[in-house]
Amino acid sequence: MSTDIAPFKVGSETFKTSYKVFGDLKSGTRPLVVLNGGPGLPHLYMLPHADLHQERHGGRPVILYDQLGCGDSTRLRDKPGDFITPALFVAELDNLLRHLGITRDFDLLGQSWGVTLAVEYIAAHHPAGLKHLVLTSGPASYPLWREALAGLLAQWPRDFQDMLGRHERDGTTDAPEYQEGLMQFYRKHILNLEVWPPETLKSMAQMGEDPTVYRAMLGVNEFNMTGTLKDWSIIPKLGAVPCPTLIINGADDEAADSCVAPLFYGIKRARWVTFGSSSHMAFWEEPGKYLQIVTDFLIDSGMDGGAEA
């Protein structure tokens, strides 16, 4: 699958957004645009969604892209923190859709930070052509996200909590002990697989090599959130979502029920599915079930809401 570029002009500068199209945009089948998380995590870890272009899943074109600052898109190492805002990524998404000619009939799927991006885009542009929205493992607000993380961390042994806290207070979060502790937490609450897929490892490694966007918007890590998203909330904007919406999280997800529930109650036509054997990436942990549920939802918009486990 070849990589293409969408030029994106901001002021006097022109950036590039790297994207891939799986399937045929000229097929007449409604396309799905996938928004990755992080922020600043390249699209590779989201590749299971490319299977949605297969005929058994409806044969729709699927677009995956690297948001600015990661992957093959323009990096932002020389940009100040106040340049790297949700509004920048909303404008980038709008530019990409226009570049591809996707304005009249399309679906959106956002994961983690991509949930925030999707709702911010809808609130800013009120896209009449948006038919379905899928919100996977993302919070309604980052204060709720921090509360959920604190609750999950409280379930771990006291000495583990003390170790993380000590390194955060001392500014030694690069210490091997701290990094190994984070990986233990992530293996429980981000991707609960014994062996992580190479696509996910590569995405993580690329973000580690250039964490500019992540640090500007979140901070050093999720436990020590100091970035521009620290107090961000999309709850007041949920009423702008006009279309049927599928909300997904995992039983062991960082995006715990407490920070997902406002999405369900704030969006008029919403369905909520919790994957019992998953954490933050159900598309890797329960891929068959995940893709089928997303497929069924995108094909059938006649849903009245509800929740299930």
Side-chain angles (χ1 to χ4, degrees):
M1 178 61 57
S2 62
T3 299
D4 293 302
I5 297 297
F8 173 45
K9 192 168 185 178
V10 181
S12 61
E13 294 184 88
T14 299
F15 301 87
K16 65 176 186 178
T17 300
S18 173
Y19 68 92
K20 294 182 179 180
V21 179
F22 297 83
D24 183 3
L25 282 173
K26 298 179 181 180
S27 66
T29 305
R30 187 172 60 246
L32 172 69
V33 182
V34 178
L35 315 179
N36 54 265
L41 197 60
H43 81 275
L44 288 172
Y45 83 102
M46 294 290 284
L47 275 174
H49 295 87
D51 282 353
L52 292 168
H53 91 281
Q54 302 287 348
E55 287 300 324
R56 68 180 183 278
H57 290 302
R60 68 187 52 74
V62 177
I63 297 92
L64 285 88
Y65 74 103
D66 291 330
Q67 296 162 24
L68 286 182
C70 72
D72 292 325
S73 294
T74 303
R75 300 300 180 93
L76 302 176
R77 290 186 180 95
D78 62 339
K79 296 300 179 185
D82 60 3
F83 180 84
I84 304 171
T85 65
L88 172 70
F89 297 102
V90 167
E92 180 190 27
L93 172 57
D94 184 60
N95 179 76
L96 176 63
L97 292 173
R98 292 179 182 279
H99 174 81
L100 294 171
I102 299 173
T103 57
R104 292 171 43 182
D105 193 16
F106 67 100
D107 300 328
L108 275 181
L109 183 152
Q111 193 265 345
S112 197
W113 140 255
V115 167
T116 303
L117 175 55
V119 174
E120 290 289 344
Y121 166 75
I122 292 167
H125 291 280
H126 303 283
L130 180 63
K131 302 304 181 185
H132 300 83
L133 178 64
V134 181
L135 303 178
T136 295
S137 292
S141 83
Y142 286 87
L144 289 175
W145 180 273
R146 296 200 306 277
E147 289 179 14
L149 282 174
L152 292 173
L153 186 58
Q155 300 171 18
W156 288 68
R158 171 54 60 181
D159 59 349
F160 179 85
Q161 299 177 50
D162 291 344
M163 180 274 291
L164 292 182
R166 183 178 68 254
H167 284 292
E168 289 166 5
R169 288 192 302 273
D170 295 345
T172 55
T173 54
D174 289 337
E177 179 185 42
Y178 184 86
Q179 292 299 317
E180 290 169 8
L182 277 186
M183 283 306 301
Q184 290 180 44
F185 186 89
Y186 290 163
R187 287 184 180 278
K188 174 68 173 176
H189 299 298
I190 285 187
L191 182 53
N192 193 359
L193 294 178
E194 185 174 344
V195 178
W196 280 20
E199 296 90 344
T200 299
L201 291 172
K202 189 171 181 179
S203 282
M204 295 287 191
Q206 287 188 16
M207 188 171 72
E209 175 265 329
D210 182 4
T212 303
V213 172
Y214 184 92
R215 290 186 175 177
M217 300 187 79
L218 289 187
V220 175
N221 57 52
E222 294 159 297
F223 299 111
N224 191 24
M225 197 177 291
T226 58
T228 55
L229 287 177
K230 178 182 178 182
D231 298 314
W232 203 273
S233 175
I234 55 174
I235 294 174
K237 301 178 181 181
L238 295 177
V241 177
C243 59
T245 301
L246 173 62
I247 298 160
I248 291 171
N249 72 335
D252 290 318
D253 204 332
E254 282 188 322
D257 290 355
S258 59
C259 58
V260 169
L263 301 173
F264 178 66
Y265 292 110
I267 296 173
K268 295 176 183 177
R269 300 163 66 191
R271 179 187 178 197
W272 179 4
V273 177
T274 297
F275 285 78
S277 299
S278 292
S279 56
H280 198 53
M281 298 185 186
F283 43 90
W284 284 113
E285 295 158 301
E286 299 180 71
K289 180 180 178 182
Y290 175 93
L291 291 175
Q292 193 58 55
I293 285 176
V294 172
T295 295
D296 292 345
F297 170 75
L298 295 178
I299 291 174
D300 178 17
S301 61
M303 41 79 75
D304 297 319
E308 65 183 71

Short mmCIF file of all heavy atoms in Angstrom, two decimals, residues 266-309:
data_model
loop_
_atom_site.label_atom_id
_atom_site.label_comp_id
_atom_site.label_asym_id
_atom_site.label_seq_id
_atom_site.Cartn_x
_atom_site.Cartn_y
_atom_site.Cartn_z
N GLY A 266 -24.19 11.79 26.81
CA GLY A 266 -24.21 13.09 26.19
C GLY A 266 -24.54 13.08 24.70
O GLY A 266 -24.88 14.12 24.14
N ILE A 267 -24.40 11.92 24.06
CA ILE A 267 -24.68 11.80 22.63
C ILE A 267 -26.06 11.17 22.45
O ILE A 267 -26.36 10.13 23.04
CB ILE A 267 -23.58 10.96 21.93
CG1 ILE A 267 -22.24 11.68 22.03
CG2 ILE A 267 -23.94 10.69 20.47
CD1 ILE A 267 -21.05 10.87 21.53
N LYS A 268 -26.89 11.77 21.64
CA LYS A 268 -28.30 11.39 21.57
C LYS A 268 -28.51 9.95 21.11
O LYS A 268 -29.34 9.23 21.64
CB LYS A 268 -29.04 12.36 20.65
CG LYS A 268 -29.10 13.78 21.18
CD LYS A 268 -29.77 14.72 20.19
CE LYS A 268 -29.76 16.15 20.69
NZ LYS A 268 -30.35 17.09 19.69
N ARG A 269 -27.78 9.54 20.09
CA ARG A 269 -28.00 8.20 19.50
C ARG A 269 -26.72 7.40 19.68
O ARG A 269 -25.89 7.30 18.78
CB ARG A 269 -28.37 8.34 18.03
CG ARG A 269 -29.64 9.16 17.80
CD ARG A 269 -29.75 9.62 16.37
NE ARG A 269 -29.95 8.51 15.44
CZ ARG A 269 -29.87 8.62 14.13
NH1 ARG A 269 -29.58 9.80 13.58
NH2 ARG A 269 -30.08 7.58 13.35
N ALA A 270 -26.57 6.81 20.85
CA ALA A 270 -25.32 6.14 21.20
C ALA A 270 -25.55 4.71 21.65
O ALA A 270 -26.55 4.38 22.29
CB ALA A 270 -24.60 6.91 22.31
N ARG A 271 -24.59 3.88 21.31
CA ARG A 271 -24.51 2.50 21.79
C ARG A 271 -23.15 2.32 22.41
O ARG A 271 -22.13 2.80 21.88
CB ARG A 271 -24.70 1.51 20.64
CG ARG A 271 -24.60 0.05 21.06
CD ARG A 271 -24.63 -0.85 19.84
NE ARG A 271 -24.48 -2.24 20.22
CZ ARG A 271 -24.14 -3.22 19.38
NH1 ARG A 271 -23.91 -2.94 18.11
NH2 ARG A 271 -24.03 -4.45 19.81
N TRP A 272 -23.06 1.60 23.54
CA TRP A 272 -21.81 1.43 24.28
C TRP A 272 -21.52 -0.06 24.43
O TRP A 272 -22.34 -0.81 24.95
CB TRP A 272 -21.95 2.12 25.63
CG TRP A 272 -20.74 2.02 26.54
CD1 TRP A 272 -19.53 1.47 26.29
CD2 TRP A 272 -20.68 2.53 27.87
NE1 TRP A 272 -18.70 1.60 27.37
CE2 TRP A 272 -19.39 2.25 28.35
CE3 TRP A 272 -21.59 3.19 28.71
CZ2 TRP A 272 -18.98 2.61 29.65
CZ3 TRP A 272 -21.19 3.55 29.98
CH2 TRP A 272 -19.89 3.26 30.44
N VAL A 273 -20.35 -0.47 23.96
CA VAL A 273 -19.92 -1.87 24.06
C VAL A 273 -18.61 -1.92 24.83
O VAL A 273 -17.64 -1.23 24.48
CB VAL A 273 -19.72 -2.50 22.67
CG1 VAL A 273 -19.20 -3.93 22.80
CG2 VAL A 273 -21.03 -2.48 21.88
N THR A 274 -18.57 -2.74 25.89
CA THR A 274 -17.34 -2.97 26.65
C THR A 274 -16.84 -4.39 26.34
O THR A 274 -17.59 -5.36 26.47
CB THR A 274 -17.58 -2.83 28.16
OG1 THR A 274 -17.98 -1.49 28.44
CG2 THR A 274 -16.31 -3.14 28.94
N PHE A 275 -15.58 -4.48 25.94
CA PHE A 275 -14.97 -5.77 25.61
C PHE A 275 -14.36 -6.36 26.88
O PHE A 275 -13.42 -5.81 27.45
CB PHE A 275 -13.91 -5.59 24.52
CG PHE A 275 -14.50 -5.37 23.15
CD1 PHE A 275 -15.01 -4.13 22.79
CD2 PHE A 275 -14.60 -6.42 22.24
CE1 PHE A 275 -15.58 -3.93 21.55
CE2 PHE A 275 -15.17 -6.23 21.00
CZ PHE A 275 -15.66 -4.99 20.65
N GLY A 276 -14.90 -7.51 27.28
CA GLY A 276 -14.56 -8.09 28.57
C GLY A 276 -13.15 -8.63 28.69
O GLY A 276 -12.64 -8.80 29.80
N SER A 277 -12.49 -8.91 27.56
CA SER A 277 -11.13 -9.46 27.60
C SER A 277 -10.11 -8.48 27.02
O SER A 277 -9.07 -8.89 26.52
CB SER A 277 -11.08 -10.79 26.83
OG SER A 277 -11.94 -11.75 27.40
N SER A 278 -10.42 -7.19 27.08
CA SER A 278 -9.55 -6.19 26.46
C SER A 278 -9.22 -5.07 27.43
O SER A 278 -9.87 -4.88 28.46
CB SER A 278 -10.23 -5.59 25.23
OG SER A 278 -10.36 -6.54 24.19
N SER A 279 -8.20 -4.30 27.03
CA SER A 279 -7.87 -3.07 27.74
C SER A 279 -8.08 -1.90 26.77
O SER A 279 -9.21 -1.63 26.38
CB SER A 279 -6.44 -3.13 28.30
OG SER A 279 -5.48 -3.40 27.28
N HIS A 280 -6.98 -1.25 26.34
CA HIS A 280 -7.10 -0.02 25.56
C HIS A 280 -7.12 -0.25 24.05
O HIS A 280 -7.35 0.69 23.29
CB HIS A 280 -5.92 0.89 25.94
CG HIS A 280 -6.08 2.33 25.58
ND1 HIS A 280 -7.18 3.09 25.96
CD2 HIS A 280 -5.26 3.18 24.90
CE1 HIS A 280 -7.02 4.33 25.53
NE2 HIS A 280 -5.89 4.42 24.86
N MET A 281 -6.83 -1.48 23.62
CA MET A 281 -6.75 -1.75 22.19
C MET A 281 -7.49 -3.04 21.86
O MET A 281 -6.90 -4.06 21.49
CB MET A 281 -5.29 -1.85 21.74
CG MET A 281 -4.50 -0.57 21.92
SD MET A 281 -2.82 -0.70 21.22
CE MET A 281 -2.12 0.86 21.77
N ALA A 282 -8.80 -3.00 21.97
CA ALA A 282 -9.61 -4.19 21.70
C ALA A 282 -9.42 -4.70 20.29
O ALA A 282 -9.61 -5.89 20.02
CB ALA A 282 -11.08 -3.89 21.95
N PHE A 283 -9.00 -3.83 19.37
CA PHE A 283 -8.79 -4.26 17.99
C PHE A 283 -7.58 -5.18 17.85
O PHE A 283 -7.44 -5.87 16.84
CB PHE A 283 -8.66 -3.04 17.06
CG PHE A 283 -7.80 -1.93 17.59
CD1 PHE A 283 -6.44 -1.89 17.33
CD2 PHE A 283 -8.37 -0.93 18.35
CE1 PHE A 283 -5.66 -0.85 17.83
CE2 PHE A 283 -7.59 0.13 18.84
CZ PHE A 283 -6.23 0.15 18.58
N TRP A 284 -6.71 -5.23 18.84
CA TRP A 284 -5.63 -6.23 18.88
C TRP A 284 -5.97 -7.37 19.83
O TRP A 284 -5.57 -8.52 19.60
CB TRP A 284 -4.32 -5.59 19.35
CG TRP A 284 -3.60 -4.76 18.33
CD1 TRP A 284 -3.40 -3.42 18.36
CD2 TRP A 284 -2.99 -5.22 17.11
NE1 TRP A 284 -2.70 -3.01 17.24
CE2 TRP A 284 -2.43 -4.09 16.47
CE3 TRP A 284 -2.86 -6.47 16.50
CZ2 TRP A 284 -1.74 -4.16 15.25
CZ3 TRP A 284 -2.18 -6.54 15.29
CH2 TRP A 284 -1.63 -5.41 14.68
N GLU A 285 -6.68 -7.08 20.90
CA GLU A 285 -6.93 -8.08 21.94
C GLU A 285 -8.10 -9.01 21.60
O GLU A 285 -8.07 -10.20 21.92
CB GLU A 285 -7.16 -7.36 23.27
CG GLU A 285 -5.92 -6.62 23.76
CD GLU A 285 -6.24 -5.50 24.74
OE1 GLU A 285 -7.00 -4.58 24.38
OE2 GLU A 285 -5.71 -5.55 25.86
N GLU A 286 -9.14 -8.47 21.00
CA GLU A 286 -10.28 -9.26 20.54
C GLU A 286 -10.63 -8.83 19.11
O GLU A 286 -11.73 -8.34 18.85
CB GLU A 286 -11.48 -9.05 21.46
CG GLU A 286 -11.24 -9.48 22.90
CD GLU A 286 -12.45 -9.26 23.79
OE1 GLU A 286 -13.43 -10.01 23.62
OE2 GLU A 286 -12.40 -8.35 24.63
N PRO A 287 -9.71 -9.03 18.17
CA PRO A 287 -9.86 -8.43 16.83
C PRO A 287 -11.08 -8.90 16.07
O PRO A 287 -11.76 -8.09 15.43
CB PRO A 287 -8.57 -8.81 16.12
CG PRO A 287 -8.06 -10.01 16.85
CD PRO A 287 -8.46 -9.80 18.28
N GLY A 288 -11.37 -10.19 16.10
CA GLY A 288 -12.51 -10.70 15.34
C GLY A 288 -13.82 -10.09 15.81
O GLY A 288 -14.64 -9.61 15.01
N LYS A 289 -14.03 -10.11 17.11
CA LYS A 289 -15.26 -9.56 17.69
C LYS A 289 -15.33 -8.06 17.46
O LYS A 289 -16.39 -7.52 17.10
CB LYS A 289 -15.31 -9.88 19.18
CG LYS A 289 -16.55 -9.36 19.90
CD LYS A 289 -16.50 -9.73 21.38
CE LYS A 289 -17.71 -9.16 22.12
NZ LYS A 289 -17.66 -9.47 23.57
N TYR A 290 -14.22 -7.37 17.65
CA TYR A 290 -14.17 -5.92 17.48
C TYR A 290 -14.56 -5.52 16.06
O TYR A 290 -15.44 -4.68 15.84
CB TYR A 290 -12.78 -5.41 17.83
CG TYR A 290 -12.57 -3.93 17.59
CD1 TYR A 290 -12.76 -3.01 18.62
CD2 TYR A 290 -12.14 -3.44 16.35
CE1 TYR A 290 -12.56 -1.65 18.41
CE2 TYR A 290 -11.95 -2.10 16.13
CZ TYR A 290 -12.15 -1.20 17.16
OH TYR A 290 -11.95 0.14 16.95
N LEU A 291 -13.90 -6.12 15.08
CA LEU A 291 -14.16 -5.74 13.69
C LEU A 291 -15.58 -6.07 13.27
O LEU A 291 -16.19 -5.33 12.49
CB LEU A 291 -13.15 -6.41 12.76
CG LEU A 291 -11.70 -5.91 12.88
CD1 LEU A 291 -10.77 -6.74 12.00
CD2 LEU A 291 -11.59 -4.44 12.53
N GLN A 292 -16.12 -7.17 13.79
CA GLN A 292 -17.48 -7.53 13.42
C GLN A 292 -18.49 -6.55 14.01
O GLN A 292 -19.46 -6.14 13.35
CB GLN A 292 -17.81 -8.95 13.86
CG GLN A 292 -19.10 -9.48 13.25
CD GLN A 292 -19.06 -9.46 11.72
OE1 GLN A 292 -18.16 -10.02 11.10
NE2 GLN A 292 -20.03 -8.78 11.11
N ILE A 293 -18.27 -6.15 15.26
CA ILE A 293 -19.19 -5.19 15.90
C ILE A 293 -19.13 -3.85 15.19
O ILE A 293 -20.16 -3.21 14.93
CB ILE A 293 -18.86 -5.06 17.40
CG1 ILE A 293 -19.36 -6.30 18.14
CG2 ILE A 293 -19.47 -3.80 17.99
CD1 ILE A 293 -19.01 -6.34 19.61
N VAL A 294 -17.93 -3.39 14.83
CA VAL A 294 -17.80 -2.13 14.10
C VAL A 294 -18.44 -2.25 12.73
O VAL A 294 -19.17 -1.35 12.28
CB VAL A 294 -16.32 -1.71 13.99
CG1 VAL A 294 -16.16 -0.51 13.05
CG2 VAL A 294 -15.75 -1.37 15.36
N THR A 295 -18.21 -3.37 12.04
CA THR A 295 -18.82 -3.59 10.73
C THR A 295 -20.34 -3.53 10.80
O THR A 295 -20.99 -2.84 10.01
CB THR A 295 -18.39 -4.95 10.17
OG1 THR A 295 -16.98 -4.93 9.92
CG2 THR A 295 -19.10 -5.27 8.86
N ASP A 296 -20.90 -4.26 11.74
CA ASP A 296 -22.37 -4.30 11.87
C ASP A 296 -22.92 -2.91 12.14
O ASP A 296 -23.98 -2.54 11.61
CB ASP A 296 -22.78 -5.26 12.98
CG ASP A 296 -22.47 -6.72 12.65
OD1 ASP A 296 -22.22 -7.01 11.46
OD2 ASP A 296 -22.47 -7.54 13.58
N PHE A 297 -22.23 -2.16 12.96
CA PHE A 297 -22.70 -0.81 13.28
C PHE A 297 -22.65 0.10 12.06
O PHE A 297 -23.58 0.85 11.79
CB PHE A 297 -21.84 -0.23 14.41
CG PHE A 297 -22.09 1.23 14.66
CD1 PHE A 297 -23.24 1.65 15.30
CD2 PHE A 297 -21.18 2.19 14.23
CE1 PHE A 297 -23.48 3.01 15.51
CE2 PHE A 297 -21.41 3.53 14.43
CZ PHE A 297 -22.56 3.95 15.08
N LEU A 298 -21.54 0.04 11.30
CA LEU A 298 -21.40 0.92 10.14
C LEU A 298 -22.40 0.58 9.03
O LEU A 298 -22.78 1.46 8.26
CB LEU A 298 -19.97 0.85 9.60
CG LEU A 298 -18.87 1.38 10.52
CD1 LEU A 298 -17.50 1.20 9.87
CD2 LEU A 298 -19.10 2.84 10.89
N ILE A 299 -22.80 -0.66 8.98
CA ILE A 299 -23.78 -1.08 7.96
C ILE A 299 -25.19 -0.70 8.38
O ILE A 299 -26.01 -0.29 7.56
CB ILE A 299 -23.67 -2.59 7.70
CG1 ILE A 299 -22.34 -2.91 6.98
CG2 ILE A 299 -24.85 -3.08 6.86
CD1 ILE A 299 -22.08 -4.38 6.81
N ASP A 300 -25.49 -0.84 9.68
CA ASP A 300 -26.84 -0.62 10.17
C ASP A 300 -26.85 0.61 11.06
O ASP A 300 -26.35 0.57 12.18
CB ASP A 300 -27.32 -1.85 10.96
CG ASP A 300 -28.71 -1.65 11.55
OD1 ASP A 300 -29.41 -0.73 11.08
OD2 ASP A 300 -29.07 -2.40 12.47
N SER A 301 -27.47 1.69 10.59
CA SER A 301 -27.56 2.91 11.40
C SER A 301 -28.86 3.01 12.17
O SER A 301 -29.09 3.97 12.89
CB SER A 301 -27.42 4.15 10.50
OG SER A 301 -28.46 4.18 9.55
N GLY A 302 -29.70 2.00 12.06
CA GLY A 302 -30.98 2.05 12.73
C GLY A 302 -30.92 1.56 14.15
O GLY A 302 -31.64 0.63 14.52
N MET A 303 -30.05 2.17 14.96
CA MET A 303 -29.90 1.75 16.34
C MET A 303 -30.51 2.78 17.27
O MET A 303 -30.53 3.97 17.01
CB MET A 303 -28.42 1.50 16.68
CG MET A 303 -27.44 2.54 16.11
SD MET A 303 -27.38 4.07 17.05
CE MET A 303 -26.44 3.50 18.45
N ASP A 304 -31.01 2.28 18.40
CA ASP A 304 -31.69 3.15 19.34
C ASP A 304 -30.87 3.38 20.61
O ASP A 304 -31.34 3.99 21.55
CB ASP A 304 -33.05 2.55 19.74
CG ASP A 304 -33.97 2.44 18.53
OD1 ASP A 304 -34.00 3.38 17.75
OD2 ASP A 304 -34.64 1.40 18.41
N GLY A 305 -29.65 2.86 20.67
CA GLY A 305 -28.84 3.03 21.86
C GLY A 305 -28.76 1.75 22.67
O GLY A 305 -29.22 0.69 22.26
N GLY A 306 -28.18 1.85 23.85
CA GLY A 306 -28.03 0.71 24.74
C GLY A 306 -26.58 0.45 25.04
O GLY A 306 -25.69 1.05 24.47
N ALA A 307 -26.36 -0.41 26.01
CA ALA A 307 -25.02 -0.76 26.43
C ALA A 307 -24.93 -2.26 26.60
O ALA A 307 -25.91 -2.93 26.88
CB ALA A 307 -24.65 -0.06 27.73
N GLU A 308 -23.73 -2.80 26.41
CA GLU A 308 -23.53 -4.24 26.60
C GLU A 308 -22.10 -4.50 26.95
O GLU A 308 -21.21 -3.68 26.74
CB GLU A 308 -23.92 -5.00 25.34
CG GLU A 308 -23.04 -4.72 24.13
CD GLU A 308 -23.52 -5.45 22.89
OE1 GLU A 308 -24.57 -5.07 22.34
OE2 GLU A 308 -22.82 -6.36 22.48
N ALA A 309 -21.87 -5.67 27.51
CA ALA A 309 -20.51 -6.08 27.88
C ALA A 309 -20.05 -7.18 26.97
O ALA A 309 -20.87 -7.93 26.45
CB ALA A 309 -20.47 -6.54 29.33
#
